[in-house]
Amino acid sequence: MARIAFILLCHKDPEAIIDQARRLTRAGDYISIHFDASGGKETFEAIQKGLANNPNVTFATKRIKCGWGEWSLVQATLYALEAAERDFPRATHFYMLSGDCMSIKTAEYMHDYLDREDVDFIESFDFFESDWIKTGIKEERLIYRHCFNERNNKWLFYESLKLQQRLGLRRDIPDDLQIMIGSQWWCLRRRTVEWILDFTRQRKDVMRFFRTTWIPDETFFQTVVRHVVPEKEIRTRTQTFLMFTDYGMPVVFYNDHYDLLLSQDYLFARKISPEAKELKKRLGDLYAATGVKFQISNEGRSLFQFLTNRGRNGRRFAQRFWETESSLGRNRELLIIVCKKWHVAKRLVAEIKTKTDIPCLEYLFNEEGSALPDLGGIEKSLEKRTRHRRAWVRMLFDYFDTNRMVICLDPTGIDLIQDFYADRSSSRLLEIECEFTDDYLAGHAKRTGLAGDQTPEEAIERLLPTIRSDMTDESDRIRDAEFDNYNRISQSNTPEENARPLARFLGIPEDKAREIVSMHYLFSD
């Protein structure tokens, strides 16, 4: 009878990981866990302790730091596979999961299902002929080397790509490989996993090639499985049910999706909301049940498309994305930096990025050309970003896979601040108080179109008191609003004085905050 070794890649929420491991091993299956090295030693030790008495749990042979789109995700998977293949000799299948996945069938059903056919389940489409990649670069993922992460170092990522293109530094794809692409959620037989691990040891050329491809978790296993396994033994599909919105973001499932999920022709579903406690409990109880019959209708994707299309036409059975996702999420915290001198806030944000792991975004509601991730087009328009502000920021939280994020706003955006504070998420506010010289105000008048290069000096001088008054009034309005968790740093304060409010704002030790605000040029014009 089939026995599954689940391969779990995770990086947070130790209690949820322990619960998931206990749930999935309850019916005699196994689990091999790779916990991201950036998750911290104490957190990992808590997971080990919580699962210490469970013989059906093992841990990856090595822990590494993982980054979205990087080879590290494939390497972490291989480390977890090595441990599972070594420690669970009775495992017949190996199933790739994330912490957001939940079973939507019983273990009994899964075992029977996998026993019916001696095949591997993995999406595996021709990389060049299929339309699996909808947006972004395609062949450039393969024929150029990628040493920078597009999410963390967007400028370096694309500059490196442009440089290679200019210098003609294309590389060849290994001759005997047909590059394939597909979902990273697969279920493979034991023999296939053994062949893959042998392949990784023998084909160092292929390993070197994939280490510098972009998003290799969508191509490595898909290519190697097709290379080592006869085509007739591959089912080009995933056993994990997942859907995407028009914005390219995963559809999230909640408590009222229980019946819909059970009727899908899949074994697992992704992504289950962390807030869907009832759904998780019901699915967890279901996994260990016996004798359950499932009526498969498989209408999930067509129903979702039907309802969203009707919403676009104004004939709604369901709300639009930006209405259903109108909250940032109860457990999330938005850190808002308000500063009239954008260059000062950007310097502070750059330093925060180097000293913490908090994602930071600069003036995303003020600058058309802000450095932003590709999220299906909504990021291209300031008007769209502002109109769908909460949905937009929620997408960014999901993109960076974080519960804390820093954004910068101009003081004129008090309505944005009030809207975010009205959300059920948490908000913190840091105002940067700057000194405004006459030269700065004159430059500001020209930058904003109040004056031009040919405007007489006397006219500019008459403008300055009004501009200064407006800036003071913007700051006063923010203070008069009496926002909770309000902090302020000032150009007139010492770094020691500014460190305390910054530490409260970021939730970091005061000595680290002092390092951030101690740069001598922070307030320079």
Side-chain angles (χ1 to χ4, degrees):
M1 184 176 74
R3 282 287 177 268
I4 306 169
F6 295 104
I7 307 302
L8 177 65
L9 264 57
C10 48
H11 65 282
K12 61 180 180 180
D13 202 348
E15 291 183 5
I17 294 168
I18 292 169
D19 288 344
Q20 188 176 27
R22 288 172 176 168
R23 185 169 58 246
L24 292 176
T25 56
R26 198 184 306 172
D29 293 307
Y30 313 98
I31 190 166
S32 177
I33 300 171
H34 179 276
F35 185 73
D36 198 309
S38 64
K41 181 181 178 182
E42 292 182 1
T43 305
F44 180 58
E45 289 175 349
I47 296 170
Q48 288 180 306
K49 184 178 179 181
L51 298 170
N53 297 323
N54 192 329
N56 288 15
V57 175
T58 193
F59 294 90
T61 54
K62 185 178 180 181
R63 288 177 63 211
I64 58 173
K65 292 183 178 181
C66 297
W68 188 92
E70 296 178 5
W71 169 256
S72 53
L73 287 174
V74 176
Q75 187 63 72
T77 305
L78 290 171
Y79 286 143
L81 271 177
E82 288 172 350
E85 189 265 344
R86 177 197 65 200
D87 294 341
F88 305 133
R90 297 183 60 195
T92 60
H93 293 78
F94 296 76
Y95 198 120
M96 182 72 182
L97 289 175
S98 77
D100 296 321
C101 297
M102 286 283 298
S103 56
I104 56 174
K105 298 292 186 292
T106 62
E108 179 183 63
Y109 180 98
M110 291 188 193
H111 296 156
D112 291 343
Y113 185 96
L114 295 176
D115 279 335
R116 286 179 215 151
E117 287 188 276
D118 187 20
V119 295
D120 297 305
F121 295 94
I122 183 169
E123 281 191 352
S124 183
F125 304 101
D126 186 279
F127 184 92
F128 296 99
E129 298 298 326
S130 72
D131 64 347
W132 202 87
I133 299 174
K134 303 296 184 185
T135 60
I137 61 174
K138 188 171 181 177
E139 69 171 352
E140 292 88 351
R141 291 190 186 188
L142 305 175
I143 63 175
Y144 297 107
R145 296 168 179 82
H146 299 280
C147 303
F148 302 101
N149 189 301
E150 191 264 352
R151 286 193 171 184
N152 300 331
N153 298 289
K154 190 168 187 172
W155 185 84
L156 285 173
F157 180 91
Y158 287 107
E159 286 302 309
S160 169
L161 177 58
K162 290 175 187 175
L163 180 62
Q164 293 180 74
Q165 290 171 329
R166 282 200 302 271
L167 298 177
L169 299 179
R170 290 172 60 111
R171 61 174 177 174
D172 294 329
I173 296 169
D175 290 337
D176 59 334
L177 290 186
Q178 179 185 7
I179 303 299
M180 311 299 285
I181 192 167
S183 166
Q184 62 267 55
W185 314 113
W186 38 254
C187 178
L188 305 176
R189 297 166 296 172
R190 183 179 196 89
R191 183 182 63 182
T192 301
V193 167
E194 291 171 348
W195 284 345
I196 291 173
L197 294 177
D198 285 342
F199 183 92
T200 63
R201 290 186 279 265
Q202 295 168 10
R203 292 297 301 272
K204 302 301 182 185
D205 60 322
V206 175
M207 300 298 281
R208 283 194 300 272
F209 172 79
F210 276 105
R211 280 192 182 96
T212 51
T213 61
W214 181 234
I215 319 182
D217 54 317
E218 294 179 352
T219 54
F220 177 78
F221 290 101
Q222 297 76 2
T223 298
V224 176
V225 169
R226 184 70 66 169
H227 186 77
V228 300
V229 176
E231 185 174 358
K232 65 181 180 180
E233 297 180 21
I234 299 173
R235 296 292 176 268
T236 306
R237 59 160 297 183
T238 176
Q239 285 295 342
T240 298
F241 179 61
L242 67 163
M243 298 189 295
F244 291 89
T245 69
D246 290 347
Y247 293 93
M249 301 302 294
V251 173
V252 179
F253 299 110
Y254 295 92
N255 290 332
D256 56 353
H257 286 120
Y258 180 79
D259 292 327
L260 180 142
L261 291 176
L262 264 58
S263 66
Q264 305 310 305
D265 187 20
Y266 294 85
L267 305 182
F268 280 78
R270 184 179 188 274
K271 261 181 146 175
I272 308 298
S273 169
E275 299 173 9
K277 307 294 186 185
E278 180 186 346
L279 177 61
K280 287 187 173 185
K281 183 182 185 307
R282 293 179 73 184
L283 292 176
D285 293 341
L286 175 72
Y287 186 72
T290 57
V292 179
K293 302 296 182 183
F294 296 91
Q295 186 168 346
I296 306 298
S297 59
N298 218 30
E299 81 298 340
R301 288 192 175 89
S302 58
L303 180 61
F304 178 77
Q305 185 178 17
F306 171 74
L307 293 178
T308 50
N309 280 338
R310 291 181 72 87
R312 288 191 206 98
N313 295 332
R315 296 176 291 126
R316 281 184 235 258
F317 283 17
Q319 293 172 303
R320 301 186 186 192
F321 166 78
W322 47 82
E323 292 165 335
T324 58
E325 302 293 349
S326 60
S327 171
L328 307 188
R330 190 181 302 279
N331 297 322
R332 285 172 169 166
E333 190 173 49
L334 186 64
L335 309 177
I336 306 169
I337 295 177
V338 178
C339 184
K340 196 65 182 180
K341 289 187 175 180
W342 292 7
H343 60 279
V344 174
K346 290 179 180 182
R347 287 175 190 153
L348 184 67
V349 159
E351 200 66 8
I352 291 172
K353 285 181 182 178
T354 63
K355 297 291 194 299
T356 75
D357 59 356
I358 306 172
C360 303
L361 294 160
E362 302 170 354
Y363 292 98
L364 66 168
F365 294 103
N366 305 104
E367 274 188 313
E368 193 85 52
S370 298
L372 298 168
D374 185 348
L375 293 177
I378 190 174
E379 78 282 355
K380 298 184 187 304
S381 163
L382 269 178
E383 187 270 336
K384 279 187 178 180
R385 293 182 218 164
T386 304
R387 177 155 38 105
H388 310 311
R389 60 193 67 168
R390 292 195 193 178
W392 162 234
V393 173
R394 182 183 181 112
M395 290 168 68
L396 290 168
F397 272 112
D398 291 339
Y399 178 88
F400 290 110
D401 195 17
T402 184
N403 284 331
R404 301 182 79 225
M405 186 168 68
V406 171
I407 66 171
C408 297
L409 294 180
D410 188 273
T412 55
I414 189 170
D415 58 326
L416 290 168
I417 301 171
Q418 290 169 330
D419 192 40
F420 288 129
Y421 262 80
D423 188 72
R424 64 183 178 184
S425 60
S426 300
S427 293
R428 291 181 177 273
L429 187 63
L430 177 72
E431 184 182 9
I432 305 177
E433 186 181 48
C434 299
E435 297 171 3
F436 302 108
T437 65
D438 286 351
D439 286 343
Y440 175 84
L441 293 176
H444 176 78
K446 292 177 181 179
R447 287 190 296 271
T448 56
L450 293 173
D453 292 335
Q454 306 305 316
T455 304
E457 287 297 321
E458 313 88 78
I460 291 179
E461 288 175 6
R462 287 196 298 271
L463 274 176
L464 297 187
T466 303
I467 298 172
R468 191 184 302 277
S469 176
D470 284 346
M471 291 185 176
T472 301
D473 182 64
E474 289 170 2
S475 179
D476 287 341
R477 288 180 64 203
I478 289 172
R479 297 184 199 183
D480 291 343
E482 297 183 344
F483 292 111
D484 292 335
N485 302 316
Y486 170 83
N487 297 276
R488 184 171 74 254
I489 65 175
S490 175
Q491 185 171 352
S492 61
N493 290 346
T494 64
E496 289 72 25
E497 291 171 325
N498 284 331
R500 286 190 291 274
L502 182 64
R504 287 195 300 270
F505 172 72
L506 294 175
I508 60 175
E510 199 167 308
D511 58 342
K512 183 172 282 190
R514 191 179 301 110
E515 291 178 26
I516 294 173
V517 295
S518 289
M519 60 179 120
H520 65 276
Y521 58 89
L522 175 59
F523 292 97
S524 299
D525 288 333

